């Protein structure tokens, strides 16, 4: 915004960069993510506060254990999707629409793989261990915490797919790299939430038998 | 998702009239008016609910209401006043005046702003729909579990309450994101952070509190909805859950919420007093930093609402100390206001009267607040009328007195005409007397053991006289607001023309015509001090051409009106309502939401 | 906050003021530096290594004992910072962006820890069934 003014250049209310050099849409995404910290913070606080308070089985560590090798793979899938996402952003900033499309699709694919893994995990717990959302307080807090994370991943996949569709309709260009960057911020946030959940829920779960 | 984009052209933007222009408006000033009118109607509804409660308590053993009606009315009185009256009244001033005060032409995201209003309106309607469908919520405004669980509330009441609050929360969250970015990025040249009017600063802190305090209650409500609809056991101790968890999550939201209600009033008074005292705010930086301190401390004091749950001496002490700490920045502000009035040539017009009364009433509420910061004292006072007295001195004596001061101060800018001073003074004295008559005796009956939320009380406890005074006081408050309504209705047609700056104030909103043109500032002002109109009246950039200038003549390109925020807001509310009425509606609501959101995203913004 | 850095030689726009003349230097420090693809890949490799370390700690817990939980938290914090810093560009964006995010993050962390303490999660539970 350091261009020389031209009489025909109208001032608009969307005059970004005016005060702080920050872009409105990017700023609002960060404020939103700050708010999301409190959302997942409250869910995690609920899960952690109710830990070990189930009055009836099954509870991990006693009746069954988390399948750590399996969850490690799905956590890694989500981590790699973040790499794909950042490569999509790098591609659109270069003006490489084809590369953007490929990396966005890769991100979506990895995201869906993660969701598939979550679906598999949930059904295994439900069928093999008899753990429903209403079975005990562990089931309630586990399904709600990981389920809301899964819902966030789903929204992210839909968002990225919308960008892919836009790119096929020729509406995504180097000048709209911000659209991809902001979707990326959301996607990475969903990833870091899982980094925390992976440790707090899975790796720090009581475990003794089973291995 | 194909929609015709941009069918609303500049022709509409240039000459906005009629219902359609209000439904599609993205002008922050119009949205502010919508917020103000809607919130004032909800304020009257909440007031009528309070009058009915007071009628029931006029004499011992009264049967004006059934116990069930009584429970519904006190619950909805609290819920309405907090979420549908004070918060949106603050939002009205936020919308209308913050962009004007920072020298901006609109907010950062005009359509998101419209979305916030529509979600708020639909959420409020949904909540109040419960009165005609099976009864309103009846478990108190903080909805303690397990009263809200299926076992004790098998009807739809708790669902209306939980979904209504959830929807209202979305409105406030969207608005908070919008205004945080607006205040950070949209300030006029020279409007540094430390030149922002105190009202803008306090609203900035408030918007942060909203952005960070609403997610915890969103989670609390989600858990409640899961308990009620999917048989989880979060708040059911017989299954390993814990009703205390609800209290924690609610008050992690609820305590910042107290500051969400009061901080904007702090800001209004900090702007009004200097104008009438004819001198700058005493210790501006202290007002700003103490506001920020209150914002941070507000997040670590929540459990002082829960001393009666028995958290143990360590937790009790920690929360008691934190609570007493928060009295320090609040006390600092009171000294700032008194210092502003000190030796000032104060002109006691109606706004100044309300602002000064605000200081006095808020001190009383603040002092009783420090009293129950001490756990042993709190155990005596909790759930008694003493608490009711305390928070009405803070929220009525504080927030409502502040907002009323703001209304008398800024309505001339909105209406273009002055309000009648004589009617304003009658309003003030009636309200001051009625308010104290209603709420001061509550201290006494509270300490004499009268529990809050009691349907009735037996004769002979010495509570009769006090309760009768309280009811009479409540009706005096109601009459005082009739004077206000009459004043506004008459003055908006025949009041004296206000002109740009009727009070001789120093902040930017008074540099432009009243009512402001649609584009606010024909040329953006350049700000060089905290009170640009006092310090630079000869600066030509601080005066604007006549209001007849069109946006095109002023070379200002305005955002297009849009109906997609309205559609999207309807989708959000319908999706929520589906949880009450059946999940088919949720599906339809989500489809409308998606259609609205995609069309919104693809529609050119300007 | 002074405007002393404003210069009169800048071109002015229709508003009659120089764009950028009033920018706040403290806040306007967004550097348009973009890390290379190779940086992103390196970060991914480190993330994978840290994850492998985390999982091996899980299996070594019977041997290492109570040192494992703090180590795990530390490792996940490291992964968190890497993603936020590099993939989300906070390392390259202004300090204000970082503040917008870390402030809420700290409040959330305080609330999690306080709630856990209030729900006695840090008190050894003697009555719980041995596992």
């Amino acid at each position: 915004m350091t261009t020389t003014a031209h009489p025909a250049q109208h001032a608009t209310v969307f005059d970004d960069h005016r005060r702080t050099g920050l872009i409105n849409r990017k700023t609002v995404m960060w404020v939103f993510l700050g708010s999301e910290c409190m959302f997942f913070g409250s869910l995690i606080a609920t899960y952690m506060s109710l830990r070990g308070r189930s009055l009836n089985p099954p509870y991990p560590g006693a009746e069954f254990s988390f399948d750590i090798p399996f969850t490690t793979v799905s956590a890694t899938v989500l981590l790699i999707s973040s790499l794909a996402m950042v490569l999509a952003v790098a591609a659109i900033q270069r003006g490489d629409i084809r590369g953007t499309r490929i990396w966005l699709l890769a991100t979506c694919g990895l995201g869906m793989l993660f969701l598939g893994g979550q679906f598999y995990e949930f059904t295994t717990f439900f069928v093999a261990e008899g753990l429903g959302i209403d079975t005990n307080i562990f089931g309630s807090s586990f399904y709600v915490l990981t389920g809301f994370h899964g819902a966030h991943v789903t929204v992210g996949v839909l968002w990225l797919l919308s960008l892919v569709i836009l790119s096929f309709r020729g509406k995504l260009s180097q000048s709209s790299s911000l659209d991809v960057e902001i979707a990326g911020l959301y996607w990475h946030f969903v990833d870091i939430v899982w980094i925390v959940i992976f440790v707090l829920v899975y790796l720090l779960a009581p475990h003794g038998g089973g291995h | 998702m194909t929609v015709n984009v941009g069918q609303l052209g500049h022709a509409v933007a240039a000459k906005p009239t009629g219902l359609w222009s209000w439904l599609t408006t993205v002008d922050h000033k119009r949205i502010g008016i919508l917020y103000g009118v809607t919130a004032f109607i909800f304020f009257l509804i909440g007031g009528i609910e309070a009058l009915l409660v007071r009628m029931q308590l006029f004499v011992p053993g009264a049967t004006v209401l059934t116990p069930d009606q009584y429970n519904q009315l006190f619950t909805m009185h609290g819920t309405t006043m907090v979420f549908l009256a004070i918060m949106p009244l603050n939002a009205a001033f936020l919308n209308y005046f913050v962009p004007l005060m920072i020298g901006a032409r609109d907010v950062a995201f005009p359509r998101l702003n419209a979305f916030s209003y529509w979600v708020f309106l639909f959420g409020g309607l949904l909540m109040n729909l419960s009165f005609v469908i099976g009864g309103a919520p009846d478990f108190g405004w903080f909805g303690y579990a397990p009263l809200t669980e299926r076992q004790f509330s098998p009807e739809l009441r708790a669902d209306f309450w939980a979904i209504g609050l959830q929807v209202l929360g979305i409105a406030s969250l969207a608005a908070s994101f919008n205004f945080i970015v607006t205040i950070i990025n949209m300030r006029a040249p020279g409007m540094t952070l430390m030149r922002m009017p105190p009202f803008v600063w306090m609203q900035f802190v408030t918007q942060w509190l909203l952005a960070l305090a609403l997610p915890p209650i969103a989670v609390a409500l989600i858990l409640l909805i899961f308990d009620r609809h999917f048989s989880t056991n979060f708040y059911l101790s017989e299954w390993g859950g814990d009703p205390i968890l609800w209290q924690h999550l609610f008050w992690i939201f609820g305590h910042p919420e107290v500051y969400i209600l009061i901080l904007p009033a702090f800001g209004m008074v900090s702007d009004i007093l200097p104008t009438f005292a004819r001198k700058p705010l005493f210790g501006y930086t202290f007002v700003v930093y103490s506001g920020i301190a209150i914002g941070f401390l507000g997040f670590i004091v929540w459990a002082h609402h829960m001393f009666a749950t028995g958290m143990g001496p360590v937790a009790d002490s920690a929360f008691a100390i934190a609570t007493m700490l928060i009295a320090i920045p609040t006390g600092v502000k009171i000294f700032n206001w008194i210092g502003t009035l000190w030796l000032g040539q104060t002109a006691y017009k109606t706004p100044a009267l309300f602002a000064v009364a605000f200081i006095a009433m808020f001190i009383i509420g603040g002092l009783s607040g420090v009293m129950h910061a001490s756990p042993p004292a709190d155990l005596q006072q909790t759930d008694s009328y003493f608490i009711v007295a305390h928070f009405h001195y803070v929220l009525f004596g504080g927030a409502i007195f502040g907002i009323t001061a703001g209304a008398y101060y800024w309505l001339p800018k909105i209406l273009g005409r002055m309000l009648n001073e004589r009617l304003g003074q009658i309003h003030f004295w009636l309200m001051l007397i009625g308010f104290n008559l209603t709420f001061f005796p509550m201290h006494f009956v509270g300490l004499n053991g009268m529990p809050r939320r009691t349907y009735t009380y037996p004769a002979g406890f010495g509570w009769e006289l006090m309760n009768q005074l309280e009811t009479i006081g409540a009706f005096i408050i109601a009459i005082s607001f009739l004077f206000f309504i009459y004043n506004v209705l008459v003055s908006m047609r025949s009041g004296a023309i206000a002109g740009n700056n009727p009070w001789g104030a120093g902040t930017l909103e008074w540099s432009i015509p009243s009512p402001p043109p649609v584009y606010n500032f024909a040329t953006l002002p350049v700000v060089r001090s905290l009170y640009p109109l006092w310090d630079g009246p000869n600066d030509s950039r601080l005066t604007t051409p006549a209001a007849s200038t069109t946006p095109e003549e002023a070379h200002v390109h305005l955002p297009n009106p849009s109906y997609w925020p309205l559609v999207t807001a309807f989708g959000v509310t319908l999706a929520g309502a589906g949880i009450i009425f059946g999940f088919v509606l949720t599906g339809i609501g989500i489809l409308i939401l998606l259609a609205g959101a995609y069309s919104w995203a693809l529609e050119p913004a300007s | 906050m002074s405007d002393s850095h404003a210069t009169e030689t800048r071109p002015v726009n229709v508003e009659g003021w120089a764009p950028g003349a009033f920018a706040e230097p403290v806040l306007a420090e967004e550097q348009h530096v973009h890390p290379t693809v190779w940086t992103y890949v390196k970060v991914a490799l480190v993330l994978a290594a840290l994850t492998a370390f985390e999982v091996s700690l899980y299996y070594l817990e019977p041997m290492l004992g109570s040192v494992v939980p703090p180590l795990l938290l530390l490792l996940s914090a490291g992964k968190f910072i890497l993603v936020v810093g590099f993939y989300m560009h906070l390392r390259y964006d202004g300090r204000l962006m970082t503040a917008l995010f870390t402030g809420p993050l700290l409040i959330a962390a305080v609330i999690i820890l306080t709630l856990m303490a209030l729900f006695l999660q840090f008190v050894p539970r003697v009555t719980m069934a041995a596992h």
Side-chain angles (χ1 to χ4, degrees):
Chain A
M1 292 302 280
T2 50
T3 51
T4 318
H6 190 268
Q9 183 187 355
H10 290 180
T12 75
V13 295
F14 301 100
D15 199 356
D16 277 359
H17 294 275
R18 182 183 296 146
R19 293 300 311 144
T20 52
L22 301 174
I23 301 158
N24 282 350
R25 286 168 59 203
K26 207 164 145 183
T27 316
V28 85
M29 193 65 207
W30 276 110
V31 176
F32 169 71
L33 294 182
S35 181
E36 283 274 81
C37 281
M38 291 296 288
F39 182 80
F40 278 104
S42 306
L43 280 173
I44 290 170
T46 301
Y47 178 88
M48 295 306 283
S49 299
L50 296 175
R51 242 164 66 113
R53 291 170 67 121
S54 285
L55 300 177
N56 48 322
Y59 190 71
E63 284 77 21
F64 75 102
S65 283
F66 287 114
D67 186 348
I68 295 299
F70 179 81
T71 24
T72 306
V73 171
S74 69
T76 313
V77 163
L78 205 57
L79 272 181
I80 297 172
S81 81
S82 259
L83 175 63
M85 184 69 237
V86 86
L87 292 178
V89 176
I92 189 98
Q93 283 169 345
R94 286 195 308 270
D96 175 4
I97 300 299
R98 201 168 149 266
T100 309
R101 213 176 274 153
I102 290 169
W103 288 118
L104 281 178
L105 281 171
T107 315
C108 287
L110 290 163
M112 286 193 275
L113 198 61
F114 174 84
L115 286 173
Q118 196 170 39
F119 183 73
Y120 171 79
E121 184 192 38
F122 282 14
T123 46
T124 313
F125 281 174
F126 190 69
V127 175
E129 313 291 346
L131 179 73
I133 194 169
D134 54 352
T135 308
N136 59 18
I137 199 64
F138 165 72
S140 299
S141 52
F142 171 78
Y143 282 122
V144 168
L145 171 58
T146 54
F148 266 92
H149 179 267
H152 275 73
V153 177
T154 311
V155 170
V157 168
L158 290 176
W159 189 346
L160 298 180
L161 279 179
S162 312
L163 288 177
V164 173
I165 292 168
L166 278 183
S167 82
F168 278 113
R169 292 166 70 189
K171 288 188 174 169
L172 214 58
S173 64
Q174 193 168 5
S175 59
S176 53
S177 68
L178 192 64
D179 292 335
V180 182
E181 197 183 335
I182 287 169
L185 287 178
Y186 175 83
W187 188 265
H188 297 308
F189 177 78
V190 171
D191 183 23
I192 55 178
V193 170
W194 195 255
I195 289 176
V196 176
I197 291 178
F198 180 58
V199 163
L200 290 182
V201 174
Y202 291 90
L203 296 186
L204 283 177
H207 60 106
H211 306 296
Chain B
M1 297 315 151
T2 14
V3 282
N4 306 325
V5 290
Q7 61 268 68
L8 301 157
H10 291 258
V12 186
K15 215 174 164 63
T17 47
L19 178 66
W20 183 247
S21 75
W22 284 90
L23 293 178
T24 60
T25 186
V26 292
D27 178 357
H28 72 95
K29 297 183 290 301
R30 286 191 151 204
I31 293 168
I33 292 170
L34 287 171
Y35 260 113
V37 172
T38 315
F40 190 70
I41 291 169
F42 278 126
F43 176 71
L44 295 180
I45 293 172
I48 291 167
E49 287 160 359
L51 290 181
L52 289 168
V53 165
R54 279 317 321 166
M55 278 162 69
Q56 165 64 23
L57 293 173
F58 187 60
V59 288
T63 50
V64 178
L65 305 166
T66 65
D68 178 46
Q69 288 169 336
Y70 180 84
N71 290 349
Q72 293 180 42
L73 286 170
F74 80 66
T75 302
M76 285 305 284
H77 166 69
T79 306
T80 303
M81 286 307 194
V82 169
F83 295 100
L84 301 174
I86 301 183
M87 278 171 80
L89 280 172
N90 284 334
F93 289 98
L94 167 81
N95 267 281
Y96 202 103
F97 289 104
V98 162
L100 298 182
M101 292 170 106
I102 61 173
R105 293 213 170 97
D106 209 323
V107 295
F109 305 98
R111 288 177 299 174
L112 186 64
N113 205 16
F115 171 79
S116 296
Y117 169 72
W118 295 114
V119 175
F120 152 67
L121 175 66
F122 294 149
L125 293 177
L126 182 66
M127 179 83 88
N128 278 283
L129 192 63
S130 58
F131 274 117
V132 288
I133 305 178
D138 57 352
F139 31 71
W141 85 275
F142 38 68
Y144 273 0
L147 285 180
T148 46
E149 294 280 359
R150 259 190 317 208
Q151 186 188 353
F152 298 106
S153 189
E155 311 97 331
L156 295 174
R157 300 175 177 198
D159 293 315
F160 272 110
W161 187 76
I163 301 297
L165 285 195
Q166 197 73 287
V167 171
L168 290 169
I170 292 169
S172 295
L173 271 178
S176 72
F177 300 152
N178 200 348
F179 277 90
I180 289 170
V181 177
T182 301
I183 294 172
I184 292 176
N185 275 357
M186 305 291 285
R187 283 167 286 136
M191 177 62 80
T192 57
L193 289 175
M194 294 314 278
R195 285 180 194 158
M196 295 199 306
F199 177 67
V200 178
W201 256 113
M202 293 307 111
Q203 283 284 10
F204 188 53
V205 176
T206 304
Q207 300 313 307
W208 271 110
L209 291 177
L210 282 166
L212 302 184
L214 284 165
I217 198 181
V219 167
L221 292 167
I222 286 168
L223 302 185
L224 176 63
I225 292 162
F226 270 73
D227 271 9
R228 291 181 60 86
H229 292 272
F230 305 109
S231 305
T232 55
N233 324 299
F234 287 106
Y235 305 132
L236 295 170
S237 47
E238 65 267 41
W239 294 99
D242 201 335
I244 300 297
L245 176 67
W246 166 271
Q247 297 197 18
H248 279 296
L249 290 174
F250 183 86
W251 289 115
I252 288 171
F253 151 79
H255 201 79
E257 170 72 14
V258 173
Y259 296 105
I260 289 165
L261 298 172
I262 194 70
L263 277 178
F266 283 4
M268 292 177 194
V269 169
S270 304
D271 268 331
I272 293 168
L273 288 177
T275 299
F276 291 95
R278 319 301 309 153
K279 60 199 269 271
L281 183 64
F282 179 76
Y284 166 82
T285 37
F286 275 91
V287 172
V288 170
Y289 283 111
S290 61
I292 298 171
I294 290 173
F296 272 103
L297 289 172
F299 276 103
I300 56 165
V301 297
W302 77 83
H304 68 216
H305 295 269
M306 301 167 55
F307 286 142
T309 61
M311 294 177 293
V314 177
D316 276 5
S317 311
F319 282 106
I321 291 167
T323 306
M324 290 172 187
L325 267 182
I326 214 168
I328 296 173
T330 316
V332 165
K333 280 184 194 292
I334 287 167
F335 284 111
N336 285 120
W337 296 323
I338 294 171
T340 306
L341 291 171
W342 192 259
L343 296 180
Q345 309 279 310
T346 309
Y348 283 103
K349 305 273 187 175
T350 314
L353 287 174
F354 275 103
V356 172
F358 159 91
I359 303 175
M361 298 302 106
F362 185 78
I363 288 175
I364 299 175
L367 286 177
S368 57
V370 180
M371 286 165 74
H372 36 251
S374 163
D378 181 74
L379 290 179
Q380 297 296 315
Q381 295 160 3
T382 190
D383 274 340
S384 78
Y385 257 89
F386 190 85
I387 299 290
V388 181
H390 157 69
F391 66 71
H392 280 93
Y393 266 89
V394 177
L395 294 182
F396 195 128
I400 293 292
F401 269 80
I403 288 169
T404 314
Y408 277 100
Y409 182 61
W410 278 305
L411 270 176
K413 175 57 63 182
I414 299 173
L415 301 174
R417 287 174 185 275
M418 302 303 287
L419 294 182
N420 184 296
E421 183 62 26
R422 193 182 161 75
L423 288 171
Q425 303 240 358
I426 295 173
H427 175 195
F428 169 74
W429 288 109
L430 281 178
M431 187 160 131
L432 185 70
I433 293 165
F435 167 74
N436 282 292
L437 198 58
T438 310
F439 296 105
F440 207 81
M442 289 186 185
H443 291 109
F444 301 127
V445 288
L447 290 179
N448 279 337
M450 183 168 170
R452 72 191 279 199
R453 296 176 176 169
T454 184
Y455 166 62
T456 187
Y457 52 95
F461 280 8
W463 299 343
E464 293 95 330
L465 175 66
M466 294 298 179
N467 272 287
Q468 282 169 9
L469 290 178
E470 287 162 25
T471 304
I472 293 167
F475 277 90
I476 296 177
I477 297 174
I479 292 165
S480 79
F481 271 97
L482 293 180
F483 279 92
F484 174 72
I485 296 167
Y486 176 73
N487 193 350
V488 173
L489 290 179
V490 170
S491 300
M492 64 192 286
R493 257 168 290 158
S494 57
I497 299 294
N500 284 14
N501 191 1
W503 309 115
T507 43
L508 279 186
E509 77 272 28
W510 302 105
S511 70
I512 53 175
S514 313
V518 62
Y519 47 82
N520 297 354
F521 297 93
T523 54
L524 281 185
V526 176
V527 180
R528 295 195 164 79
S529 76
L530 182 56
Y531 296 102
L533 301 195
W534 286 352
D535 299 330
N538 299 324
D539 189 332
S540 62
R541 275 182 291 242
L542 290 176
T543 54
T544 31
S548 60
T549 320
T550 64
E552 284 72 24
E553 284 163 20
H555 295 293
V556 180
H557 183 56
L558 289 166
N560 289 333
S562 171
Y563 50 78
W564 292 117
L566 176 60
V567 172
T568 314
F570 183 70
V572 169
T573 316
L574 201 61
I579 298 171
I580 306 172
F581 299 113
F583 287 109
V584 181
L585 279 185
T586 305
I588 299 172
I590 290 174
L591 287 180
I592 296 175
L593 161 65
L594 285 175
Y598 275 103
S599 315
W600 176 347
L602 298 174
E603 175 186 57
S606 60
Chain C
M1 306 261 174
S2 91
D3 295 318
S4 57
H5 58 283
T7 56
E8 296 306 315
T9 52
R10 286 174 192 251
V12 294
N13 64 7
V14 282
E15 313 285 3
W17 51 277
F22 292 91
E24 280 156 42
V26 189
L27 303 173
E29 55 176 64
E30 186 168 11
Q31 303 159 23
H32 291 280
V33 183
H34 291 298
T36 59
V37 170
W38 175 230
T39 315
Y40 292 141
V41 175
K42 272 193 289 188
V43 170
L45 291 173
V46 177
L47 286 171
L50 289 177
T51 309
F53 193 24
E54 282 178 343
V55 176
S56 47
L57 278 177
Y58 172 84
Y59 288 107
L60 292 174
E61 188 172 3
M63 251 169 61
L64 298 173
S66 59
V67 67
V68 168
L71 259 181
L72 279 176
L73 291 177
L74 215 64
L75 287 171
S76 74
K79 288 163 71 180
F80 191 104
I81 292 167
L82 278 176
V83 174
V84 174
F86 285 92
Y87 288 177
M88 296 167 89
H89 284 255
L90 268 195
R91 247 185 118 239
Y92 312 99
D93 286 353
R95 260 188 291 163
L96 183 73
M97 293 287 200
T98 314
L100 294 181
F101 185 65
T102 44
L105 190 66
L106 284 177
I107 295 175
V110 167
I111 286 173
I112 293 172
L113 290 173
T114 314
L115 268 191
M116 285 178 72
L118 287 167
F119 280 81
L120 307 181
Q121 288 287 347
F122 300 122
V123 180
R125 219 170 284 133
V126 282
T127 53
M128 209 186 127
H131 48 260

